Amino acid sequence: MADKKRILVVDDEPDFSNIVKSYLEKEGFAVEQAFDGAEGLAKVKANPPDAIVLDVMMPEKDGYAVCAELKHDKKYQGIPILLLTAVASHVSSTRYSHYDGASTEADDYLPKPADAKQITESIKMLVR
Amino acid sequence: MRLMNLLNSDSFSIIVEMKPPKGVDVSDFLLTAKKLKWDVSGFLVPDMSQAVLWMSALGASFLLASKGFPVIMEMGCRDRNRLALQADLLSAAACGIENILVSGGVETRYGDHPEAATVADLGVMELVSAAAGLEKGRDMSGGEIKGSPRFFLGAELSAGVSEKDLDREMAAMEKKLDAGVRFFVTTPVFDAQKLAPFMDLARKRSAKILPRVVMLRSLGMARYIQRHMEHIHLPEETIARLMASGDRERECARITAETINAMEELGSAGVILETFGSESRVPEVLSLRRELLAASGEDGAGREESSWGKYRTA
């Protein structure tokens, strides 16, 4: 039996992260979680996953920084990243700009609030 | 060769938008320009585009112009009053920068200093008139200036307007032409046919249109643009195409190359490549565009591309 694809969910909202985990597990993925950007990076480097679900607005290191660091590292740049962000709808009240969003190297992007089903469909597309 | 002459020639100009550095380390900025010089006709230096702090367009344009690179300097109305704008126009001219793109500027609330005040002392038409006045030797107060600058003036054009707003945008284009604008840079466009009405007017008035073409690099980028950047109409078919592709990065390059070729086929003088920091991928996109032209059996594989390297004077 083939090994399950491993997905790392990096999001500082535990409730949301748990919902995403549960949807992905129902689809046959093995899911690990991290609750801030620094922890997410450490887990990727310790045991690279098959794909990453990555929130932008997080403490320690935001999702844009984590995405950029991974995409500029030959060891990890091939790991597909789905970026989730509420930033765009709040661009006028944050230090993030549309330039940050548009210049992302993430493989896919969904705005928050994101439907867990949409996240799952995106991950299935990214790992096929 | 001056930009004006390049755009009036039969060649097709590829101009890359070069974001200035966010700091004083200009080494990467100049190195990127040097690497691209054989592939492109020149550079457009934006003026704190997307309302994000970068080195000013004047400083960055001077750096490029002093190395002999052809430059279009964007000058936005958002951040400076009429004194500063006229002063910057004079400085630009004195530094050998004659190609000026006048723009309104994105609201600061969308940038990284959302609390920054907006000046907007002059609108686009007033700034164009001010530049034209300086060319005649007078400032906005009527005072005489020592030595008259010479400008090749450009302005923005909203390519993606709806049918109901088309007449309004065409009327605005006529006004800009009457005021002395000689070239137009459009908002990013993916569908060349959106430009057709503007191209007809430009031809009648001997003006040039340079459409902005976004260099896509990921599905994530495409989705973000489609959802949140209202001035860019990115078709759903493009998203579907990227989702279906096995090599999305290559497909992004292909879409960009196809868009450039479509603009050339429509008769534009060239394109402005909006890279969002991906300048290193420009050679791949241009190489792919030439392959596509050759594969389509076009005579001469398209118009000759002008390149700074080819036209550089000693």
Side-chain angles (χ1 to χ4, degrees), chain A residues 64 85 87-89 91-111 118 122 125-128, chain B residues 19 49-52 54 109-114 217-225 227-229 242-245 248 275-277:
Chain A
Y64 287 140
T85 179
V87 167
S89 58
V91 143
S92 61
S93 61
T94 70
R95 63 180 175 82
Y96 296 104
S97 66
H98 278 318
Y99 185 88
D100 293 319
S103 55
T104 182
E105 290 169 271
D107 299 87
D108 198 4
Y109 152 81
L110 284 171
Q118 285 179 309
S122 172
M125 175 194 66
L126 290 175
V127 299
R128 71 168 178 241
Chain B
K19 179 175 61 62
S49 64
Q50 306 299 328
V52 173
W54 313 108
R109 65 192 174 105
Y110 293 115
D112 65 351
H113 288 67
R217 61 177 173 192
S218 71
L219 173 60
M221 177 189 186
R223 294 249 232 207
Y224 188 98
I225 288 173
R227 289 203 168 97
H228 298 297
M229 298 179 80
L242 289 173
M243 286 176 70
S245 171
R248 278 185 274 274
T275 62
F276 283 94

Side-chain angles (χ1 to χ4, degrees), chain B residues 34 156 224:
Chain B
K34 192 176 165 190
E156 290 187 316
Y224 188 98

Side-chain angles (χ1 to χ4, degrees), chain B residues 103-115:
Chain B
S103 69
V106 167
E107 292 172 53
T108 58
R109 65 192 174 105
Y110 293 115
D112 65 351
H113 288 67
E115 68 282 358

Side-chain angles (χ1 to χ4, degrees), chain B residues 42-177:
Chain B
F43 302 99
L44 186 154
V45 180
D47 186 11
M48 284 182 282
S49 64
Q50 306 299 328
V52 173
L53 173 70
W54 313 108
M55 177 184 285
S56 76
L58 178 57
S61 296
F62 173 69
L63 286 171
L64 291 176
S66 66
K67 302 284 182 200
F69 297 116
V71 166
I72 302 174
M73 182 183 103
E74 185 186 9
M75 179 169 269
C77 298
R78 184 190 62 218
D79 304 320
R80 302 175 191 82
N81 65 20
R82 63 192 65 199
L83 284 165
L85 288 168
Q86 290 179 94
D88 283 352
L89 280 169
L90 294 175
S91 296
C95 293
I97 300 161
E98 64 177 19
N99 310 312
I100 307 288
L101 171 66
V102 176
S103 69
V106 167
E107 292 172 53
T108 58
R109 65 192 174 105
Y110 293 115
D112 65 351
H113 288 67
E115 68 282 358
T118 294
V119 175
D121 183 20
L122 299 181
V124 167
M125 289 300 301
E126 289 165 301
L127 183 50
V128 169
S129 298
L134 290 174
E135 284 185 301
K136 296 189 177 92
R138 298 273 171 190
D139 65 24
M140 287 187 81
S141 294
E144 210 175 316
I145 59 171
K146 194 172 175 181
S148 306
R150 184 173 61 170
F151 297 118
F152 183 49
L153 290 173
E156 290 187 316
L157 195 57
S158 290
V161 290
S162 58
E163 285 287 327
K164 68 176 176 60
D165 290 328
L166 184 57
D167 286 342
R168 188 204 64 203
E169 193 64 20
M170 297 281 288
M173 185 178 171
E174 288 256 34
K175 273 194 184 164
K176 288 168 186 167
L177 286 162

Side-chain angles (χ1 to χ4, degrees), chain A residues 24-126:
Chain A
L24 289 171
E25 283 174 343
K26 276 189 206 139
E27 292 292 331
F29 295 107
V31 181
E32 204 180 344
Q33 291 166 292
F35 297 97
D36 64 56
E39 185 189 358
L41 270 175
K43 288 198 170 183
V44 169
K45 290 174 183 178
N47 194 6
D50 295 295
I52 304 168
V53 178
L54 179 60
D55 185 29
V56 168
M57 291 174 80
M58 288 187 294
E60 293 302 319
K61 222 167 200 170
D62 68 30
Y64 287 140
V66 170
C67 183
E69 193 170 323
L70 292 173
K71 288 301 181 185
H72 292 156
D73 189 330
K74 283 195 167 67
K75 278 204 290 277
Y76 311 112
Q77 65 187 193
I79 303 174
I81 296 176
L82 166 62
L83 202 62
L84 301 178
T85 179
V87 167
S89 58
H90 294 107
V91 143
S92 61
S93 61
T94 70
R95 63 180 175 82
Y96 296 104
S97 66
H98 278 318
Y99 185 88
D100 293 319
S103 55
T104 182
E105 290 169 271
D107 299 87
D108 198 4
Y109 152 81
L110 284 171
K112 269 187 160 179
D115 189 309
K117 192 164 182 280
Q118 285 179 309
I119 294 171
T120 309
E121 290 307 309
S122 172
I123 290 295
K124 280 158 74 176
M125 175 194 66
L126 290 175

